[in-house]
Amino acid sequence: MVFGNTSTPAGILTVTLCEGKNLKDKDLIGKNDPYVELWLDDNYKQRSSNISGSNNPVWNETFSFNITKSSHDKKLYLKVYDKDLVGCEKIGDTKFDLKDVYSGKEFDGWVSLPAKLGLTSHGELHLRINFTPN
């Protein structure tokens, strides 16, 4: 199923946030209380549940994005936070190129949360991503 390079058909992008591993510890005492924000554009962000006390959280949560033809970026943005009693701290962030997913290839794998300059990692997220055209 090939849709070409310039246009993606309307459909549903499904993202399953499976788990995280080796998330960089932001708390001085104890472990992170991580959650993830996911979005394609700044107008519609989705958020996972908060997992208490884990640097290797398991979410197994699925998020759906309605895609309208040619109305979206070809990247999925993810930002991981540590929820604190007051506010939150960023653990790491990444973006995932959806070009292959929109072309019909399901993704099931780990994505890194690179540190500054990409020399080290702030952990990894296991994602399953697929696109179902209308």
Side-chain angles (χ1 to χ4, degrees):
M1 167 179 349
V2 176
F3 303 124
N5 295 336
T6 58
S7 178
T8 302
I12 303 292
L13 180 72
T14 304
V15 179
T16 300
L17 173 63
C18 302
E19 60 186 314
K21 70 178 176 184
N22 302 323
L23 298 181
K24 183 173 176 64
D25 214 342
K26 289 292 185 177
D27 287 338
L28 294 174
I29 300 171
K31 297 188 185 299
N32 288 319
D33 302 314
Y35 67 90
V36 180
E37 281 188 348
L38 310 88
W39 70 94
L40 299 175
D41 66 58
D42 288 329
N43 296 326
Y44 182 64
K45 292 185 178 182
Q46 297 191 55
R47 183 183 186 272
S48 73
S49 60
N50 189 78
I51 304 295
S52 295
S54 179
N55 293 336
N56 298 294
V58 176
W59 285 283
N60 286 322
E61 294 180 30
T62 300
F63 304 89
S64 295
F65 295 89
N66 290 318
I67 305 301
T68 57
K69 188 171 183 169
S70 300
S71 68
H72 59 280
D73 195 342
K74 291 196 181 336
K75 293 194 183 338
L76 172 69
Y77 297 88
L78 301 114
K79 192 175 286 189
V80 183
Y81 291 98
D82 172 31
K83 182 170 175 35
D84 292 323
L85 289 175
V86 178
C88 59
E89 292 180 88
K90 185 177 95 168
I91 294 172
D93 61 348
T94 192
K95 56 188 171 192
F96 182 83
D97 189 336
L98 296 167
K99 182 176 57 176
D100 288 342
V101 174
Y102 288 140
S103 295
K105 293 182 185 173
E106 183 173 335
F107 176 81
D108 186 348
W110 292 89
V111 294
S112 181
L113 301 169
K116 285 185 180 173
L117 304 175
L119 301 176
T120 59
S121 174
H122 286 180
E124 295 179 273
L125 297 175
H126 179 199
L127 304 173
R128 276 195 309 271
I129 307 172
N130 64 60
F131 176 71
T132 306
N134 287 346

